[in-house]
Amino acid sequence: MTKFIKKTVLFIAASAFILLAIILIPNYVISKRSRFAINNKDRIVLFGHSHPECAFDDTLISNLKNLSHSAEPYFYTYQKVKMVLQQNPQIETVLVEFTNNQIDAKMNDWTWGYTYMSSMFPKYIPFMDKADIGVLAENNPKDFMNCLSVSARNNLVRVLTSDYEFTSIMGGYFRIDASRTSLTADSISSGQGEMVRPGVSLVNLLYLKKIIAFCRERHKRVFLVRSPQHHSYEYLKNEKDFLRIKQAMFSSTEFLDFGKFPLRDDEFADFGHLNYKGATKFSKWFGAMLNSGLLKTVNKQLFIDQSISGITTRNETFNRTASR
Amino acid sequence: MLFNSFSFALFLPVVFVLYWFVAGKSLRNQNMILLVASYFFYACWDWRFLFLLVFSTLLDYFTGIKMSGTGTKKVKKRWFWLSVIVNLGFLGVFKYFNFFAASMAVAMANIGLHVNLWTLKVILPVGISFYTFHGLSYVIDIYKGRIEAERHFIDYSLFVSFFPLLVAGPIERATHLLPQVKKARTFDYYAAADGLRQILWGLFKKAVIADQCAEFANTIFNNSSGYTGSTLLLGALFFTFQIYCDFSGYSDMALGIARLFGIDLLRNFAFPYFSRDIAEFWRRWHISLSSWFRDYLYIPLGGSKGSTWAKVRNTFIIFLVSGFWHGANWTFIAWGLLNAIYIMPSIIFNTNRVNLQIVAQGRALPSLREFSQILLTFSLTVFGWIFFRATSIAHAFSYIGRIFSKSLFTVPAFDASRAMVFETLVLIIGFIVVEWNGRENQYAIASLDKLKKRSFRYAFYFSLVLIIFLFMGREQQFIYFQF
């Protein structure tokens, strides 16, 4: 019996040691050798999910790099922010998307739901600390093991092939050519008709706080931004909660709201995303705003609103003239 | 609490330590610890159904004693039928009521009568088909005078509820398990080490092959109308390996766990995909259920004695019942019928016991004839699994219809990374090679302890652990838990 227990314990210990080595060694190597480099000229970086990913065409905005990624909650953005800021000291300003659906409980699923975790976790595990990993393990222990296995396999391959390049996979502007008007009613309702779920994702908000704190520690200016969205966007239903949370948790961080930037229906890919046409219009305007000193003005939102109302007035005049 | 879960990884060592160190050599204490652990294990699924399990145990325990104690055949018969009716009644209510109600509604609708039948909103108690069959075999054996009733309640309860077999078998017999429960058990190093080896192999089958295949099989079967024939064929192949590795992996783990406690359970699988005909396949697939039906249904019906017509009738009956045992859906009945049709030629021509030996025994490779036989049997099995996996008969026919179309000769394509599919196929091939090499053993890697070089042995074990970790699929429920 003693022999059996001794051998079994030894076998389990040796197996655990091998597995830990398989997980930790590649993670360590990747964390040291990974490359999150962006162009030296880029002084402003933008993080967020698919809304800014489709709205900010960074080829039209000087000195800005769009690093947004579809379906990316703040949990994973935080890991990316850490690496990007560490490796790109030229960055002066960080813009982080903060919009209605990012307070929603749906963000929990984006953080540890299997579909999202299995694609994001393997990518960012080398840069996570124990507490971060604990968040996932605690909230979805069943799928966590599988994701750990996938990440060990992927990272092993990464090390074996010396592939430490993250620049190309960390996000960027995403062009959509379809317009809302060209979509069928079905696809609009299936894509956008999802109901706003009750509840707030505390973990998402906590990691947004962490992002802000990290940027400040590194003496970077941080702004929360809200990309343009259609007035019929489903998540606008939680606007009251959104404003309350913004006030309660992020009042010390300036908020630049472009949510009401005037766009026609055919400039939207759907209610939450701009298509190429809309992104071009918005990005040109945003680039001009930056050049006009948006980030240096005292009352930034007033500056934005005045500019937006100018566009709206011009559009209305144009429409009236056209209709005559 | 799945065998491949963290909670079970904590539960098992605790029970092991309590069993061997706290209970010591006292048989009563050992059985008591195993029984409490088994009830705890079952309660972890759903504690409410524990009452059903205890009730079923009490019923068979008392009817067994009543049958043994009475001298008159009439009274004995009365107790026997009471147990059978109540046991099958529970099974009927929990497992089949909604099926019958829905089928009745459809039948009525077909003749123009629209009825809104009352259906039960119940969850199927996990393992009900297994422990009901345990109890039934015990009661039938007493009724037939093969065994005496067990008077010790703890021993009998442990026979019904022993946790490794409680939720998905093997379906044990009182003649096999009860004597082991009543016999003093001492620790056997080699049996326990062999048990651990079998657990490891079962875990590989379940976590790697079955769970990886499950993801692809689910994707393909759930969206079958959009895929080409070749993709659907690949989906059927994935399911073929999923169901085998899922169930036989579970059985391997159950047998291995039982061996840690000094108990040998019935073998449930004997490399069925290397069978040369369907009769051999059924002697090697879910052996404990096949032999249950043989002993308690086929033989009482007359078995292979009597006219050819009687044999054909009996065969159809057991395959129909076997299909229905698997679940309340016409697809299972169709699967059972299909297998009855498959086996019919060997029943009619009396060739069902031709292939009793292990294929290519003592040889590395099968002969061309054997290989063709294996391939044909395997193909028939794959075809049969389509009915088993489909959601309805219409789904099965449309699936098969799409397979046998021009698109069968295209490159399979579905919503999964090619690398992942390729990786799974390589793992399946590796698995087949190991199973083929180990086909003369109780399980594929049983002969590993005969390897003289300890370093080779350990290299294999550690590689297996590594493969399990690196290639495990997303954790899936064991398929047979739903039965």
Side-chain angles (χ1 to χ4, degrees), chain B residues 171-219:
Chain B
I171 300 168
E172 272 294 339
R173 307 293 182 79
T175 46
H176 181 250
L177 187 55
L178 259 177
Q180 293 187 70
V181 169
K182 299 196 73 66
K183 205 175 84 183
R185 297 179 289 272
T186 49
F187 185 78
D188 177 346
Y189 173 84
Y190 292 101
D194 191 48
L196 281 184
R197 193 165 33 243
Q198 195 164 4
I199 294 171
L200 189 64
W201 184 241
L203 189 62
F204 166 76
K205 281 157 108 175
K206 167 63 185 158
V208 178
I209 306 288
D211 287 353
Q212 287 244 16
C213 287
E215 293 212 31
F216 302 137
N218 290 345
T219 305

Side-chain angles (χ1 to χ4, degrees), chain A residues 117-248:
Chain A
M117 183 165 68
S118 60
S119 71
M120 291 288 192
F121 177 64
K123 199 155 65 173
Y124 291 113
I125 184 185
F127 321 110
M128 290 182 187
D129 59 26
K130 265 192 252 166
D132 298 332
I133 294 173
V135 168
L136 302 179
E138 205 175 288
N139 287 290
N140 188 356
K142 191 173 159 249
D143 290 326
F144 176 76
M145 268 311 284
N146 176 251
C147 292
L148 197 62
S149 152
V150 173
S151 58
R153 204 165 62 207
N154 289 2
N155 290 336
L156 200 60
V157 172
R158 210 178 254 284
V159 170
L160 292 175
T161 56
S162 301
D163 173 16
Y164 303 112
E165 190 57 58
F166 280 77
T167 310
S168 58
I169 56 166
M170 64 179 162
Y173 168 66
F174 184 71
R175 174 178 168 158
I176 305 177
D177 286 313
S179 87
R180 211 191 129 235
T181 45
S182 68
L183 294 173
T184 64
D186 279 355
S187 62
I188 289 173
S189 63
S190 65
Q192 286 301 313
E194 46 182 325
M195 289 303 294
V196 179
R197 296 180 219 180
V200 165
S201 172
L202 288 176
V203 78
N204 209 40
L205 299 174
L206 175 77
Y207 273 87
L208 177 55
K209 271 186 163 291
K210 282 188 161 199
I211 291 170
I212 295 168
F214 185 83
C215 294
R216 288 198 175 135
E217 269 171 32
R218 301 234 149 206
H219 310 293
K220 311 291 178 192
R221 298 175 76 200
V222 197
F223 298 97
L224 298 179
V225 296
R226 176 154 64 171
S227 300
Q229 48 200 15
H230 196 275
H231 57 82
S232 304
Y233 180 51
E234 191 74 22
Y235 280 92
L236 282 173
K237 283 179 185 167
N238 71 10
E239 183 69 7
K240 271 187 190 168
D241 290 336
F242 175 76
L243 295 174
R244 185 176 48 79
I245 288 168
K246 181 176 78 68
Q247 186 57 34

